[in-house]
Amino acid sequence: MPKLGMEPIRRAALVKATIDEIGAVGNLDVTVSNIARRAGMSSALAHHYFGGKDQIFLAAMRHTLRVYAAEVRAALADADGHKDRLAAIIRAGFTSSNFQPEVIAAWLNFYVLAQTSEDAHRLLRIYQRRLHSNLMHDLRPLIGGRAAGAALRIAGLIDGLYLRQGLARDPAGQGATAQVLALLHAELRGGAQ
Amino acid sequence: MPKLGMEPIRRAALVKATIDEIGAVGNLDVTVSNIARRAGMSSALAHHYFGGKDQIFLAAMRHTLRVYAAEVRAALADADGHKDRLAAIIRAGFTSSNFQPEVIAAWLNFYVLAQTSEDAHRLLRIYQRRLHSNLMHDLRPLIGGRAAGAALRIAGLIDGLYLRQGLARDPAGQGATAQVLALLHAELRGGAQ
DNA sequence: TTCTTTATTGACTCGTCAATCAAGAAAAAC
DNA sequence: GTTTTTCTTGATTGACGAGTCAATAAAGAA
């Protein structure tokens, strides 16, 4: 009983199923059949709507980035003043939703994919540039010329500590946030020149 | 004409071929046949000496870590004083040899592997602990109680900036080293508390 | 010399998976 | 009511890959 307008529903279901499946398997060795089964349809339909495996992966990556961007936006909406906004950006990277196993798996595998897929690399650059520009926007008024270096270090520390915490067997633990916030305060105090 | 004592030679050739092949392909979707061909032997021989694909990967990971550890040791041998030694540890992580495409690919894929393979996870922990303990050894005499946090931040920044620089299309660029050194100086000056 | 150990491979098995296709079924258009 | 469009799948194809095995060959031991 084919309802019309199924395309967006099917695509969304496939994207979610892809991320879940990558999270369950841990790498990109996931089959279109398993993704499709998880999304409640045949593998032929997945091919019909996405054309191929690569495009399914890219759609999943776009979705992951979109979710993260939305979280940052929401956190910024509740923040007041440059310093508060910077702290909000940092905290948004370490919320528990970012540490769901399937989200961690998605990020790690997208890093791998970015080595060989131009599209994946482009998407990752968008994330990096957005983070950098968000940081700069509030760092510049506070520390002027030292903002550029500080933004590089803060962004790098966010990525590095996310990587470490994501790979730790311990599911919880918000020590990473505190470390990045400590760096932020040092930068604001003029620590690194 | 089978010479005796081929095992260590074959194993070393396979490990090197594995890293090269992962670098060429960009991910762990490499076939035992291709690795073996690159190493100049049949795939059956690779299975004979390693037992299976997983063990070949682990051997490659061990080798990558061993090379890195040797570089750090060599850099430390030429360094004098706590401050100099800390700088040497940081620089060792960003030498050009660490940015060979096959080395970058190895690291990224080992991160992915560490999610699901207990052995890979264990090896990664060894790397992390060694780095942390190296940093602590020279930080503690300099800044005492603040060493623990500083070591976390420096190690995190090394990982994060390596990730970023490794994924950048630009092959050269040693800006990352400077950023970590800047953080080091800030920590020594008592910037982050 | 005969036996055992080490080295080596081609051929084969068994499984998996991406992608295609023809065909069916329901809604909408005409 | 017929045609067209959208949705859907089972079955199939074609390819590839991990791991096994029997067989060959040389070196050393007995």
Side-chain angles (χ1 to χ4, degrees), chain B residues 82-130:
Chain B
H82 295 304
K83 214 177 141 181
D84 211 40
R85 287 169 56 90
L86 288 165
I89 293 170
I90 291 168
R91 283 203 203 89
F94 295 98
T95 57
S96 64
S97 68
N98 285 109
F99 288 104
Q100 301 297 314
E102 67 270 16
V103 177
I104 298 168
W107 277 100
L108 293 183
N109 281 288
F110 291 155
Y111 283 135
V112 168
L113 198 58
Q115 289 175 109
T116 54
S117 157
E118 195 48 57
D119 295 303
H121 189 257
R122 222 190 62 245
L123 288 174
L124 218 49
R125 277 271 274 273
I126 290 174
Y127 151 75
Q128 288 176 348
R129 267 205 269 266
R130 192 149 40 193

Side-chain angles (χ1 to χ4, degrees), chain A residues 115 153 159 179 189 191, chain B residues 26 153 159 164 179 189 191:
Chain A
Q115 290 175 108
R153 289 185 287 272
D159 285 2
Q179 298 304 329
R189 213 178 299 121
Chain B
R153 289 186 287 272
D159 285 2
R164 291 194 159 221
Q179 298 304 329
R189 214 178 297 121

Side-chain angles (χ1 to χ4, degrees), chain A residues 25-26 29 105 108-109 111-112 114-116 118 121 149 153 155-157 159-160 163-164 167 169 179 182-183 186 189 191, chain B residues 25-26 29 105 108-109 111-112 114-116 118 121 149 153 155-157 159-160 163-164 167 169 179 182-183 186 189 191:
Chain A
V25 174
D29 274 342
L108 293 183
N109 281 288
Y111 283 136
V112 168
Q115 290 175 108
T116 54
E118 196 49 56
H121 189 257
R153 289 185 287 272
L157 190 55
D159 285 2
L163 185 65
R164 293 196 156 219
L167 285 174
R169 288 291 186 254
Q179 298 304 329
L183 172 61
R189 213 178 299 121
Chain B
V25 174
D29 273 341
L108 293 183
N109 281 288
Y111 283 135
V112 168
Q115 289 175 109
T116 54
E118 195 48 57
H121 189 257
R153 289 186 287 272
L157 190 55
D159 285 2
L163 185 66
R164 291 194 159 221
L167 285 174
R169 287 291 184 254
Q179 298 304 329
L183 172 61
R189 214 178 297 121

Side-chain angles (χ1 to χ4, degrees), chain A residues 1-127:
Chain A
M1 53 290 264
K3 313 270 172 66
L4 289 209
M6 288 304 285
E7 175 151 359
I9 297 166
R10 294 300 199 186
R11 290 181 82 103
L14 282 167
V15 164
K16 169 152 182 21
T18 301
I19 294 171
D20 288 349
E21 186 71 12
I22 292 174
V25 174
N27 54 46
L28 296 185
D29 274 342
V30 294
T31 70
V32 176
S33 299
N34 282 354
I35 292 171
R37 180 173 323 127
R38 200 181 268 265
M41 70 194 80
S42 75
S43 75
L45 199 54
H47 278 99
H48 174 67
Y49 280 124
F50 275 100
K53 211 180 173 180
D54 301 356
Q55 280 129 72
I56 300 182
F57 282 160
L58 283 178
M61 187 165 176
R62 265 184 231 109
H63 181 260
T64 304
L65 284 170
R66 213 179 303 127
V67 167
Y68 173 74
E71 281 188 358
V72 172
R73 253 197 317 275
L76 280 177
D78 290 345
D80 242 22
H82 296 303
K83 214 176 141 182
D84 211 39
R85 288 169 54 90
L86 289 166
I89 293 170
I90 291 169
R91 282 204 204 87
F94 295 98
T95 57
S96 64
S97 67
N98 285 109
F99 288 103
Q100 301 297 314
E102 66 271 14
V103 177
I104 297 169
W107 277 100
L108 293 183
N109 281 288
F110 291 157
Y111 283 136
V112 168
L113 199 59
Q115 290 175 108
T116 54
S117 158
E118 196 49 56
D119 294 304
H121 189 257
R122 222 191 61 245
L123 287 174
L124 219 48
R125 277 271 273 272
I126 290 174
Y127 151 74

Side-chain angles (χ1 to χ4, degrees), chain B residues 130-191:
Chain B
R130 192 149 40 193
L131 175 55
H132 189 261
S133 115
N134 279 338
L135 291 171
M136 286 297 279
H137 177 266
D138 291 299
L139 280 171
R140 210 159 5 208
L142 292 172
I143 56 175
R146 296 203 320 278
L152 278 177
R153 289 186 287 272
I154 292 172
L157 190 55
I158 289 175
D159 285 2
L161 289 183
Y162 178 77
L163 185 66
R164 291 194 159 221
Q165 180 148 333
L167 285 174
R169 287 291 184 254
D170 179 6
Q174 72 284 32
T177 320
Q179 298 304 329
V180 186
L181 289 175
L183 172 61
L184 169 62
H185 295 143
E187 299 283 1
L188 296 184
R189 214 178 297 121

